[in-house]
């Protein structure tokens, strides 16, 4: 940081955070952030900045505590200070993670390459100024909004007219299966019996106000004894999946739809 950039102190917060900034993030869906920081003073100062943007904050001072938060809470943004012991072992930083939020890594300038093999989208040199933190939040907004749009659960009457389940070498047709909700990333099914975790599924879906069926495939990523199961779509840029995305965007709530059209 240059000499003209102040470090983050309580007095700086009053000067740098204005009421207008508190309305930067749209109210259609409240974002949640994980703060993995080494000391309580940093937690308090950053929490004020985040809450001024309407972001819910979950603070952690150890990797174990942070991992527990991510298992029990939906997190859109993670601020990870690499001075925390074993910070690079945080589960959501690993390339294999299924988490699709945005990570901001805080580290000294001399160690900015420390996270090169980790899932970190923004790297911010320490000491961190309030202005730098605000710029990082604004830079993260589009990615957070796009992820919320992609995972928004639509409870519209989608019909599964045909489906096949493949698991460990055997195959069977799906019967008496209802679609409870659908998003750009997958759907929730309610079947007569539990579906096996990890099974692959091919489906023909009919969307509301549509005369054609849409073909989709995916994998069962969670299942419950009640018969409910979550299916994640295979990531595909095929025309049918693009058509599904366009149709779902048309059904988004008004403010969320405005974000989708501008991204």
């Amino acid at each position: 940081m240059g000499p003209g950039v102040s470090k983050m102190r309580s007095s700086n917060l009053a000067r740098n955070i204005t009421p207008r900034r508190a309305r930067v993030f749209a109210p259609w869906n409240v974002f949640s952030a994980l703060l993995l920081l080494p000391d309580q003073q940093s937690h308090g100062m950053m929490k004020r900045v985040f809450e001024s943007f309407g972001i819910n904050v979950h603070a952690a001072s150890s990797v174990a505590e942070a991992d527990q938060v991510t298992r029990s809470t939906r997190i859109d943004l993670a601020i990870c200070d690499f001075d925390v012991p074993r910070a690079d072992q945080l589960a959501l930083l690993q390339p294999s993670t299924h988490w699709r939020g945005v990570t901001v890594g805080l580290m000294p300038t001399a160690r900015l390459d420390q996270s090169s093999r980790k899932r970190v989208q923004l790297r911010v040199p320490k000491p961190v100024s309030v202005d730098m933190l605000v710029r990082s939040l604004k830079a993260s907004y589009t990615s957070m909004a796009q992820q919320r749009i992609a995972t928004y659960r639509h409870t519209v009457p989608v019909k599964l007219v045909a489906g096949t389940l493949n698991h460990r070498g055997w195959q069977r047709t799906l019967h008496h299966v209802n679609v409870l909700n659908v998003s750009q990333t997958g759907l929730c099914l309610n079947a007569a019996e539990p579906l096996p975790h990890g099974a692959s599924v091919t489906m023909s879906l009919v969307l509301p106000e549509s005369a054609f069926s849409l073909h989709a495939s995916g994998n069962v990523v969670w299942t419950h004894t009640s018969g409910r199961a979550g299916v994640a779509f295979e990531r595909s840029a095929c025309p049918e999946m693009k058509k599904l995305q366009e149709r779902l965007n048309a059904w988004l709530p008004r403010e969320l739809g405005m974000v989708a059209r501008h991204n």
Side-chain angles (χ1 to χ4, degrees):
M1 287 301 159
V5 180
S6 58
K7 294 183 181 180
M8 192 162 15
R9 297 189 300 268
S10 299
S11 58
N12 291 333
L13 293 171
R15 292 198 303 270
N16 286 280
I17 302 173
T18 65
R20 183 170 59 181
R21 278 182 177 163
R23 298 193 295 271
V24 167
F25 291 167
W28 51 262
N29 219 337
V30 177
F31 293 121
S32 292
L34 168 69
L35 304 183
L36 176 59
L37 305 171
D39 58 80
Q40 291 301 316
Q41 183 179 8
S42 297
H43 280 149
M45 290 186 292
M46 285 200 181
K47 185 177 180 180
R48 295 182 191 181
V49 176
F50 279 70
E51 289 182 344
S52 75
F53 278 83
I55 299 177
N56 287 336
V57 173
H58 302 271
S61 55
S62 70
V63 171
E65 189 178 352
D67 281 336
Q68 180 60 40
V69 170
T70 58
R71 284 193 293 267
S72 59
T73 307
R74 173 165 184 162
I75 297 297
D76 301 285
L77 175 68
I79 306 294
C80 178
D81 190 319
F82 276 72
D83 282 337
V84 173
R86 299 173 47 247
D88 61 338
Q89 297 181 33
L90 186 65
L92 56 76
L93 294 180
Q94 309 314 312
S96 59
T97 183
H98 293 293
W99 182 68
R100 289 295 175 264
V102 179
T103 306
V104 177
L106 311 180
M107 60 204 75
T109 303
R111 289 166 33 209
L112 284 177
D113 61 346
Q114 180 178 349
S115 61
S116 60
R117 296 184 180 181
K118 300 300 176 182
R119 190 181 175 280
V120 178
Q121 285 83 4
L122 296 174
R123 293 167 175 79
V124 178
K126 296 175 65 179
V128 181
S129 69
V130 170
D131 286 342
M132 180 64 77
L133 183 60
V134 168
R135 287 199 294 270
S136 298
L137 284 175
K138 290 182 177 180
S140 304
Y141 176 74
T142 297
S143 294
M144 292 192 296
Q146 288 175 337
Q147 181 63 16
R148 278 295 177 98
I149 291 168
T151 58
Y152 185 89
R153 297 182 180 183
H154 300 262
T155 54
V156 293
V158 175
K159 293 183 179 179
L160 192 152
V161 294
T164 303
L165 185 78
N166 294 274
H167 184 60
R168 295 181 178 177
W170 55 267
Q171 182 182 95
R172 69 178 173 89
T173 302
L174 291 175
H175 295 290
H176 308 297
V177 176
N178 297 318
V179 178
L180 299 181
N181 58 63
V182 62
S183 72
Q184 294 179 18
T185 59
L187 43 75
C188 179
L189 301 176
N190 189 28
E193 59 185 38
L195 302 182
H197 184 275
S200 61
V201 183
T202 55
M203 302 161 285
S204 292
L205 307 170
V206 174
L207 306 180
E209 305 171 5
S210 175
F212 66 91
S213 60
L214 180 147
H215 300 284
S217 59
N219 295 282
V220 177
V221 292
W222 63 264
T223 185
H224 191 267
T225 54
S226 65
R228 292 194 175 196
V231 175
F233 292 137
E234 291 183 353
R235 294 185 178 273
S236 171
C238 69
E240 287 188 287
M241 294 307 292
K242 288 185 177 180
K243 191 173 296 184
L244 172 64
Q245 177 179 332
E246 292 172 358
R247 182 63 62 90
L248 293 180
N249 280 346
W251 293 329
L252 288 168
R254 180 176 175 273
E255 288 193 358
L256 191 51
M258 292 173 63
V259 175
R261 288 192 293 274
H262 285 86
N263 285 328

